[in-house]
Amino acid sequence: GAQIIDLMMLVIDVTKGMQTQSAECLVIGQIACQKMVVVLNKIDLLPEGKRQSAIEKMTKKMQKTLENTKFCGCPIVAVAAKPGGPEAPESENPLGVSELIEVLKSQAYLPSRDPSGHFLMAVDHCFSIKGQGTVMTGTILSGSVSLGDNVEIPALKVTKKVKSMQMFHTPVNYAMQGDRVGICVTQFDPKLLERGLICTPESLHTIHAAIISLKKIQYFRGALQTKAKFHITVGHETVMGRVMFFSPAPADFNEEIQENAFDFEKDYLYQEAYLSKDSNTSENKENDQAGGVQLPRHQWALLEFEKPVTCPKLCLVIGSKLDTDIHANTCRLAFHGVLLQGMEDKNYIETFLPKLKVYKLKHKEGQVERVMDDYSVIGRSLFKKETNIQIFVGLKVKLSTGEDGIIDGGFGQSGKFKIRIPDGLKPETKMMLTAASKKKSKAGKGDTTKEDESSKNDLVQPVTISLLFKRYVFDTQKKMIQS
């Protein structure tokens, strides 16, 4: 609902200051509104002698709260809308309301409006008038509408003709973006639509999943975890949805990207959680101590809705945890974003998601068992006994001593494998490995206790084998890819 507001008033009880609810209103204002006036209400509850200083104190507090928001420096007005409370006689005059009206006049402005594009209206009321038909009132979000036009109620897949229109009790033939209007249609049961969207026929789509660009809301205390469920608000609708976060490949973390578009040609890195300064992953903590985590400029999420949603492209999306206890004094709004791409096909997992190139980086480690010759070694501990090593044949590996190798095939039945070293083993690597295997064979022959002691004195570092590859999350064949 806040998307249709051009100037908001944030009303604060002067005796209590910012409450959880006021903070959430402020967060929504930051996302969906451009200008704000703060109203400190109930000043009649302050004792007259201390009233002025209490108002000044709260004004300073509010200015501090707004310092890091887009509403920094906005007007703050003190009023008592109904001195004495609801029971007070009507003769009691409000305090400060005329000053508030002057402030609102000074802050009022004419937003730029554009009648082009598809007609889209957010309906917030629907009722019938005897002998006339059903009236839908709301705000036009885009485009324009004229008498006699056909409009669609996409959630119900119903199209109706505009019979008459009114703006502020005046009949009109035309209305455009930004106007508040009542549209009358016939043969439509108002019980079917309390709130929702109406639009140019066929201009809106019903989607089962979406890709959004997003930002975490700084006041949300929890981490944003992949696979978590959030309440997803799109227009007037709120549905449950599951999220999966992803970012650009690390080499592109700082790249500027085209706003409001998503590039399916690029590779993206899967994230277990949204990356932010307060991400609690141990890896990030280590980096933090080492001098600052590098965060990507842009991040995205795949949203999968529990029931389909009808909305325009590029609409505002807000993710919340609305099941949080309202008295917990914590912000329930978690993230906000822009819907870049909707998936209309019910079977989007098969038809659409394979186009989304989100990958996970996989890292496996094993050890060199022994040398075969100058150009090959036997490895172990990289695969389980039951692994089909055949699917790994041809993948590149690196030895901890620096040589590059290629997996050549299995060796025996216990999960060991052969690695080909195209450029040959370095002489020092060969010596190291030969020394290690001699020790082993000696130890196997007899006096183990003495041998154990001597091997403790000159321990040979095992040579490790690293296998790194990418695997795309939505690749049905689960191919392993190396650059």
Side-chain angles (χ1 to χ4, degrees):
Q3 291 179 77
I4 64 172
I5 297 172
D6 297 310
L7 168 64
M8 72 183 259
M9 280 197 292
L10 184 64
V11 182
I12 304 283
D13 180 335
V14 76
T15 64
K16 291 180 183 164
M18 283 288 271
Q19 303 287 292
T20 306
Q21 204 173 335
S22 351
E24 288 184 350
C25 290
L26 180 56
V27 168
I28 293 171
Q30 282 249 81
I31 296 165
C33 199
Q34 294 313 312
K35 290 183 87 171
M36 183 173 83
V37 172
V38 174
V39 181
L40 302 176
N41 192 23
K42 303 190 182 179
I43 58 170
D44 57 311
L45 298 181
L46 301 169
E48 267 194 55
K50 297 179 185 166
R51 187 173 292 172
Q52 205 41 46
S53 66
I55 290 170
E56 280 166 22
K57 199 173 164 190
M58 187 55 78
T59 303
K60 280 207 173 74
K61 212 169 170 183
M62 285 306 300
Q63 282 165 338
K64 186 113 191 78
T65 302
L66 299 174
E67 239 169 39
N68 299 321
T69 73
K70 65 154 92 154
F71 305 123
C72 177
C74 78
I76 299 174
V77 189
V79 306
K82 186 96 166 63
E87 272 69 60
E90 288 303 317
S91 55
E92 279 287 341
N93 282 329
L95 305 173
V97 170
S98 50
E99 287 89 333
L100 175 60
I101 290 169
E102 288 312 309
V103 168
L104 288 175
K105 279 191 200 162
S106 74
Q107 295 296 305
Y109 65 104
L110 271 179
S112 58
R113 305 294 193 200
D114 178 10
S116 67
H118 290 303
F119 167 67
L120 178 65
M121 173 167 149
V123 173
D124 42 49
H125 255 83
C126 193
F127 53 91
S128 61
I129 297 178
K130 220 178 160 109
Q132 297 282 321
T134 296
V135 175
M136 299 179 275
T137 64
T139 302
I140 301 179
L141 301 178
S142 72
S144 62
V145 63
S146 300
L147 224 53
D149 282 357
N150 280 331
V151 294
E152 184 188 5
I153 303 153
L156 306 169
K157 305 275 179 278
V158 172
T159 300
K160 292 283 168 199
K161 197 176 200 152
V162 177
K163 191 182 160 206
S164 64
M165 296 198 291
Q166 278 193 9
M167 276 162 66
F168 301 103
H169 306 296
T170 309
V172 291
N173 298 328
Y174 171 85
M176 65 176 269
Q177 184 186 51
D179 287 336
R180 286 285 302 172
V181 64
I183 289 178
C184 184
V185 299
T186 53
Q187 276 134 25
F188 176 65
D189 179 358
K191 288 192 189 77
L192 297 175
L193 183 78
E194 184 202 353
R195 295 179 145 202
L197 296 167
I198 60 172
C199 60
T200 302
E202 316 240 308
S203 64
L204 280 199
H205 305 294
T206 298
I207 57 175
H208 298 268
I211 291 169
I212 66 163
S213 62
L214 80 154
K215 294 243 183 300
K216 183 178 176 180
I217 287 166
Q218 67 192 70
Y219 308 104
F220 183 74
R221 288 198 192 133
L224 304 182
Q225 300 282 3
T226 281
K227 297 200 173 106
K229 283 186 177 178
F230 289 89
H231 291 88
I232 308 293
T233 302
V234 178
H236 281 316
E237 261 186 289
T238 298
V239 299
M240 289 306 287
R242 195 181 288 284
V243 293
M244 180 194 89
F245 298 105
F246 57 97
S247 64
D252 301 331
F253 265 21
N254 283 322
E255 202 176 301
E256 257 315 316
I257 54 163
Q258 195 187 338
E259 216 183 345
N260 294 342
F262 185 78
D263 186 351
F264 281 95
E265 297 307 308
K266 285 203 154 123
D267 274 19
Y268 298 94
L269 178 61
Y270 172 91
Q271 300 291 359
E272 287 293 346
Y274 178 88
L275 298 179
S276 62
K277 282 198 179 69
D278 51 2
S279 296
N280 294 332
T281 63
S282 53
E283 199 180 306
N284 276 4
K285 281 208 170 131
E286 282 164 31
N287 292 350
D288 231 354
Q289 282 141 16
V293 180
Q294 204 204 355
L295 294 172
R297 272 185 165 186
H298 304 277
Q299 290 180 70
W300 297 269
L302 168 69
L303 295 184
E304 299 186 74
F305 303 114
E306 283 191 359
K307 61 181 232 278
V309 172
T310 301
C311 60
K313 214 175 156 185
L314 301 183
C315 68
L316 174 64
V317 175
I318 296 179
S320 327
K321 286 275 187 194
L322 298 179
D323 42 3
T324 311
D325 175 15
I326 185 72
H327 304 295
N329 191 22
T330 176
C331 178
R332 297 173 299 164
L333 307 165
F335 61 83
H336 66 98
V338 175
L339 194 140
L340 302 177
Q341 181 78 45
M343 296 166 215
E344 293 173 63
D345 189 342
K346 215 182 191 140
N347 303 318
Y348 66 90
I349 293 172
E350 290 90 48
T351 58
F352 196 98
L353 288 187
K355 293 182 204 164
L356 179 58
K357 299 197 286 193
V358 174
Y359 67 86
K360 287 183 180 181
L361 274 180
K362 299 282 189 182
H363 183 201
K364 286 177 173 289
E365 282 223 337
Q367 285 182 6
V368 174
E369 168 91 4
R370 62 185 169 85
V371 177
M372 273 183 86
D373 55 48
D374 287 353
Y375 291 94
S376 50
V377 296
I378 301 297
R380 63 180 166 88
S381 313
L382 194 62
F383 306 113
K384 293 192 180 92
K385 194 175 167 180
E386 60 275 12
T387 305
N388 173 11
I389 292 174
Q390 226 25 58
I391 58 176
F392 292 90
V393 167
L395 288 184
K396 294 183 274 198
V397 294
K398 200 170 188 72
L399 304 191
S400 55
T401 45
E403 291 91 340
D404 291 316
I406 292 162
I407 296 176
D408 232 5
F411 183 82
Q413 299 302 310
S414 59
K416 290 181 184 174
F417 54 98
K418 189 176 163 189
I419 295 174
R420 186 161 47 83
I421 313 282
D423 299 332
L425 285 169
K426 295 179 194 164
E428 56 269 35
T429 307
K430 199 175 169 191
M431 269 169 66
M432 200 164 139
L433 289 165
T434 323
S437 50
K438 269 189 189 146
K439 277 221 166 123
K440 263 191 203 150
S441 58
K442 255 193 200 164
K445 276 180 188 158
D447 193 353
T448 51
T449 49
K450 271 191 193 162
E451 191 52 57
D452 281 352
E453 278 168 24
S454 71
S455 66
K456 264 183 201 156
N457 298 339
D458 51 351
L459 271 176
V460 180
Q461 235 6 73
V463 176
T464 56
I465 303 161
S466 283
L467 168 63
L468 283 165
F469 60 89
K470 282 180 181 178
R471 192 179 260 158
Y472 289 102
V473 178
F474 302 114
D475 173 16
T476 45
Q477 289 154 356
K478 304 221 176 298
K479 286 199 290 280
M480 290 168 285
I481 289 153
Q482 292 181 313
S483 54

